[in-house]
Amino acid sequence: MTQPMKPDRSRRSERSRQAILEATRALVSEVGYGKVAIETIAARAGVGKQTIYRWWPSKGAVIFDAFLALSEGAEGQGTALPDTGDVEADLKAVMRATAAEFADPEFERPVRALNNEISNDPGLAAQYHEKLARPVDEAKKERLRSAQRAGQLAADADLDLALEVLYAPLFQRWLHRSGPLTAAYADSLVDVWLRAFRP
């Protein structure tokens, strides 16, 4: 007589975790950061409050993990950037993916809602930069350091400034809805950037 299969608790837990993250992103998009509560996240995700508190200590922690998971899913590899040895090809691949991500309504809506909150809440802005922006920027700078070592990028380039020059035009176009976020536009940003920062 065969034994009945035991339920896979790890699979069930991962489904619950993903449901919580998805519910969190949807609620931030719909009602704004300030109006999201653990109770509403739990109700939307179909879990108990204690399930959320088992993994996260606060509403802010859930929200930041929700956005971090969204970025990781879009890139497919967390914060790591490609390093094929060709900085132009790698940056074009990354910038095309970033443009496509920001043009995707499923990504765009919650990120726009979060940005609206960040612009009015210095504390939230500090948390965002510490938990999300800084690790991503460090990964980007590591790729640029690799390009410097390969002689493809000026050795004395200010890498913080270089990142701002590369990403700010795309972010401004997205923020003000002033033009399409296309692959051609992403490529043009990299072309201009390389003329400024190559040796």
Side-chain angles (χ1 to χ4, degrees):
M1 183 175 178
T2 59
Q3 294 291 326
M5 291 183 64
K6 294 181 180 179
D8 187 339
R9 291 185 178 178
S10 64
R11 182 177 297 176
R12 186 175 61 193
S13 293
E14 182 58 23
R15 279 200 305 268
S16 295
R17 182 177 173 277
Q18 289 302 321
I20 291 165
L21 297 177
E22 290 168 12
T24 301
R25 288 192 292 267
L27 286 165
V28 170
S29 178
E30 292 167 16
V31 303
Y33 178 93
K35 293 182 180 178
V36 174
I38 292 291
E39 291 80 1
T40 55
I41 295 171
R44 175 69 66 92
V47 301
K49 287 192 299 181
Q50 291 309 311
T51 298
I52 296 177
Y53 284 120
R54 187 164 61 240
W55 289 316
W56 295 280
S58 66
K59 176 185 83 170
V62 183
I63 289 173
F64 284 116
D65 273 2
F67 282 94
L68 184 59
L70 185 66
S71 295
E72 288 175 347
E75 293 175 11
Q77 52 184 4
T79 58
L81 269 66
D83 190 348
T84 66
D86 182 342
V87 70
E88 178 178 349
D90 291 345
L91 288 180
K92 284 184 175 179
V94 169
M95 293 300 287
R96 284 181 175 201
T98 302
E101 187 175 66
F102 276 82
D104 179 354
E106 293 304 308
F107 180 90
E108 194 263 358
R109 281 193 298 267
V111 172
R112 192 171 289 278
L114 182 62
N115 272 273
N116 287 340
E117 297 296 333
I118 286 172
S119 67
N120 294 308
D121 186 337
L124 180 60
Q127 291 181 58
Y128 172 82
H129 287 292
E130 180 65 26
K131 295 187 73 173
L132 292 179
R134 184 177 297 172
V136 171
D137 283 349
E138 284 305 314
K140 292 172 183 173
K141 285 191 285 187
E142 185 53 41
R143 177 62 188 93
L144 298 186
R145 290 185 193 103
S146 175
Q148 287 178 317
R149 291 190 293 269
Q152 298 175 349
L153 183 63
D156 61 350
D158 180 328
L159 299 186
D160 290 306
L161 177 62
L163 286 180
E164 289 183 6
V165 170
L166 181 60
Y167 282 88
L170 188 149
F171 182 76
Q172 180 170 310
R173 178 175 281 208
W174 170 78
L175 186 65
H176 296 291
R177 307 180 197 268
S178 58
L181 299 176
T182 62
Y185 176 67
D187 287 353
S188 71
L189 292 179
V190 175
D191 289 339
V192 170
W193 186 89
L194 287 170
R195 285 199 291 273
F197 289 100
R198 269 182 168 154

